[in-house]
């Protein structure tokens, strides 16, 4: 479930297709904060347990910022007894339509 949010249209737009159809888990709902400062648009994504190399940030055609990645499922030991599994694994992708004042050629990720 990829979402493209355009704050200037005032309505959330859901993408009708997904790059990760059946493999996308509840991890796809990675929470993202977006704020605009006088100098930049700043996105902060909650993707605990991922290394920076496992998160991809790119600009698509149409001024769309995409943040995506994948969390691998932990190896299960035969001697382990699981009592609860709440952390999701799988792929995630979040998409945001950037406003006209965003300088897409200057995008940085940290």
């Amino acid at each position: 479930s990829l979402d493209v949010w355009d704050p200037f249209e005032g309505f959330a737009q859901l993408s009708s297709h997904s790059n990760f159809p059946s493999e996308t888990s509840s991890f796809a709902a990675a929470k993202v904060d977006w704020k605009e400062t006088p100098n930049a648009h700043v996105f902060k994504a909650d993707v605990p347990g991922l290394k920076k190399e496992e998160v991809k940030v790119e600009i698509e055609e149409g001024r769309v910022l995409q943040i995506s990645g994948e969390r691998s499922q932990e190896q299960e030991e035969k001697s382990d007894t699981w009592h609860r599994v709440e952390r999701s694994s799988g792929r995630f992708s979040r998409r945001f339509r950037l406003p006209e004042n965003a300088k897409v050629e200057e995008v940085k990720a940290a």
Side-chain angles (χ1 to χ4, degrees), residues 33-64:
D33 294 340
W34 175 6
K35 71 177 177 181
E36 183 175 352
T37 69
N39 301 317
H41 288 267
V42 179
F43 291 81
K44 291 187 178 185
D46 283 342
V47 288
L50 291 181
K51 299 177 182 128
K52 65 181 181 180
E53 300 82 26
E54 298 172 320
V55 177
K56 186 175 183 180
V57 177
E58 56 193 339
I59 300 294
E60 298 177 341
E61 212 172 301
R63 305 179 66 81
V64 174

Side-chain angles (χ1 to χ4, degrees), residues 38-110:
N39 301 317
H41 288 267
V42 179
F43 291 81
K44 291 187 178 185
D46 283 342
V47 288
L50 291 181
K51 299 177 182 128
K52 65 181 181 180
E53 300 82 26
E54 298 172 320
V55 177
K56 186 175 183 180
V57 177
E58 56 193 339
I59 300 294
E60 298 177 341
E61 212 172 301
R63 305 179 66 81
V64 174
L65 173 75
Q66 178 171 288
I67 304 168
S68 60
E70 183 172 5
R71 179 185 294 148
S72 300
Q73 190 170 9
E74 288 188 24
Q75 295 293 64
E76 191 173 318
E77 298 294 328
K78 298 292 182 204
S79 61
D80 292 345
T81 302
W82 288 89
H83 294 280
R84 181 177 299 253
V85 177
E86 293 182 347
R87 297 181 312 134
S88 300
S89 61
R91 297 179 184 185
F92 74 93
S93 182
R94 296 293 309 272
R95 300 171 73 212
F96 302 91
R97 186 171 314 281
L98 298 174
E100 291 297 321
N101 69 347
K103 298 176 183 171
V104 295
E105 63 280 349
E106 296 180 23
V107 169
K108 295 183 271 185

Side-chain angles (χ1 to χ4, degrees), residues 4-25:
V4 176
W5 185 65
D6 188 346
F8 301 98
E9 289 183 16
F11 297 99
Q13 299 175 352
L14 296 179
S15 176
S16 60
H17 68 282
S18 173
N19 292 334
F20 313 120
S22 61
E23 298 175 17
T24 303
S25 69

